[in-house]
Amino acid sequence: MTKEELRSKYLPIGGYFFFIAFGLVVFFIAAFLVVFVRTKSATMVVMPDVIGKPYNEVHNELMRLQLKVRLESKRYPDKTDGIIIYQSIRPGREVEAGSKVSLTVNIGLDRIDMPNLKGQSLVSAKNSMEKVLSGEAYVSLTLGGITYVEVKEGEQPDTVVDQIPEAGKNITAGEKVFLLVTKPSTKKKEGEPQAGLDFKPGDSFAFAQRALVRAKISSKAEVVVTKFRPDNGKIESVQKVGNEYKFKVFYFEPEDRVESGYESFVYEAPENGTYSLIVKDQKDETKQTEISAPTTYQEGEKIQTVFYRTGDVTLVLLDEKGSKVKSKDYENEF
């Protein structure tokens, strides 16, 4: 066979294979470049060591690193409640932002559903707190404090009218319970101070305000940010100036707003005047609670408070005519 015949027979086939080989080379080069570019452009972060730390303290840091957290829980009574006992990505490992990390958090304390104490006598409520079912065992709850209020029409003396935490909330057995209770029906001696108006550090500020609202006594608050969750909503200090109470109140900023918890409000008075605060239920605005009696403020003075929220609510600042000056919504994030 001549050279011309060989060329005419095999050259088209060789060109075909060359074209395929060239295409494959181009494809692999392109694929390599895509992977290389993606790898170079990905944000890399270093996984911190979170074992032994409370999850609420590392939550914000993990969010800043853009890590997707999946929480699991186990119960080890001999270990501290709420600490992280396992992490799926070892400390110091470099991973892409957006990576998933599993954390196991210890539930070291018995958990219970808060019983409904409203409507019970104080004696009965205390007895109920002594024996609360947690799984198959009974545990007791700790009384954090009692705030007494004047008896309204239709209420019985020495009876629980409100509680923190609210009924049905899942809590640990170590959480303290605060009660708002109507005053006992006992006659006071002349000159004896009113029960329930001698507030002290550690008392519930939310209930102290409710007591003052019933007594129509004005009060002012200064919010004091704390890093200790157990102090949340408690009175740091109190003094009475004339007929007005002045409080300093601890507030712990929540990482996530769930079904219930403490909230804060700060707003500068737009002008000299008398202002009050109410909280409305967003699902039923006929349900509203006064959380401060009318109080006089100077223009520019800060109107501050800390209150306990259950569900989605709106806080409303009213002037002396009852007109809305400012409102703010507080809602669950989950």
Side-chain angles (χ1 to χ4, degrees):
M1 186 176 291
T2 64
K3 291 182 178 181
E4 289 296 327
E5 290 174 333
L6 288 170
R7 187 180 294 113
S8 62
K9 182 177 182 179
Y10 293 108
L11 187 60
I13 296 174
Y16 175 74
F17 280 109
F18 175 78
F19 177 77
I20 292 176
F22 180 76
L24 288 172
V25 170
V26 172
F27 171 78
F28 283 115
I29 291 175
F32 172 78
L33 289 174
V34 168
V35 172
F36 178 77
V37 170
R38 285 185 176 178
T39 303
K40 292 291 287 184
S41 61
T43 301
M44 305 300 289
V45 298
V46 176
M47 180 67 202
D49 185 359
V50 297
I51 292 177
K53 298 179 180 178
Y55 174 67
N56 57 38
E57 291 184 5
V58 303
H59 171 84
N60 290 341
E61 174 66 9
L62 297 176
M63 294 300 101
R64 185 185 67 79
L65 295 175
Q66 300 177 47
L67 294 173
K68 297 178 181 178
V69 179
R70 184 170 71 89
L71 288 177
E72 298 177 346
S73 60
K74 287 189 177 181
R75 185 170 186 269
Y76 295 93
D78 58 328
K79 295 183 182 293
T80 304
D81 184 66
I83 66 166
I84 298 167
I85 54 179
Y86 169 78
Q87 61 185 83
S88 61
I89 301 175
R90 62 174 174 78
R93 180 182 171 186
E94 195 173 43
V95 297
E96 289 187 19
S99 297
K100 294 180 180 178
V101 56
S102 296
L103 302 179
T104 302
V105 179
N106 183 45
I107 301 178
L109 296 176
D110 295 297
R111 302 197 74 89
I112 60 173
D113 289 331
M114 181 68 202
N116 187 4
L117 305 176
K118 291 183 185 179
Q120 296 187 37
S121 68
L122 181 57
V123 171
S124 176
K126 286 181 176 179
N127 289 336
S128 297
M129 290 171 57
E130 284 294 321
K131 196 175 182 181
V132 183
L133 189 63
S134 175
E136 298 180 355
Y138 284 95
V139 298
S140 60
L141 292 173
T142 302
L143 183 62
I146 300 171
T147 303
Y148 287 95
V149 293
E150 298 289 345
V151 181
K152 284 186 175 180
E153 185 177 350
E155 294 178 341
Q156 296 296 318
D158 209 28
T159 301
V160 177
V161 292
D162 208 349
Q163 63 184 74
I164 296 175
E166 73 277 15
K169 183 176 182 180
N170 187 257
I171 62 172
T172 68
E175 190 164 348
K176 291 185 177 181
V177 178
F178 293 87
L179 301 177
L180 190 67
V181 180
T182 53
K183 293 179 181 178
S185 57
T186 55
K187 293 183 179 180
K188 297 181 179 60
K189 297 178 182 179
E190 188 176 348
E192 185 178 352
Q194 267 190 315
L197 295 182
D198 295 325
F199 310 112
K200 62 184 183 300
D203 284 350
S204 165
F205 174 69
F207 284 166
Q209 275 203 310
R210 294 272 294 278
L212 292 169
V213 167
R214 288 204 181 199
K216 298 181 180 179
I217 298 174
S218 62
S219 64
K220 292 182 180 179
E222 178 185 340
V223 177
V224 179
V225 177
T226 178
K227 294 183 179 179
F228 301 99
R229 186 187 297 272
D231 288 338
N232 205 6
K234 294 181 181 178
I235 297 171
E236 188 260 0
S237 63
V238 57
Q239 59 176 326
K240 188 176 181 183
V241 181
N243 294 322
E244 185 175 87
Y245 284 82
K246 293 183 181 292
F247 295 91
K248 287 187 178 181
V249 188
F250 287 122
Y251 177 64
F252 180 91
E253 180 69 35
E255 300 88 1
D256 303 306
R257 283 175 166 79
V258 289
E259 187 176 355
S260 62
Y262 289 98
E263 302 285 1
S264 70
F265 175 81
V266 180
Y267 185 73
E268 289 187 1
E271 59 185 15
N272 296 348
T274 301
Y275 300 90
S276 59
L277 292 162
I278 62 171
V279 173
K280 293 184 177 181
D281 187 321
Q282 290 185 12
K283 293 181 180 178
D284 184 359
E285 290 199 356
T286 62
K287 294 180 180 178
Q288 61 182 47
T289 303
E290 294 180 73
I291 62 170
S292 77
T295 303
T296 302
Y297 289 88
Q298 301 298 312
E299 180 180 349
E301 186 178 357
K302 288 184 178 180
I303 301 171
Q304 305 181 63
T305 194
V306 174
F307 67 99
Y308 190 81
R309 170 184 63 81
T310 301
D312 297 340
V313 301
T314 300
L315 182 145
V316 184
L317 175 66
L318 304 174
D319 62 17
E320 54 192 318
K321 296 179 181 178
S323 301
K324 183 178 76 173
V325 176
K326 174 72 176 178
S327 66
K328 184 177 179 180
D329 293 334
Y330 298 84
E331 300 172 345
N332 303 338
E333 293 178 348
F334 298 96

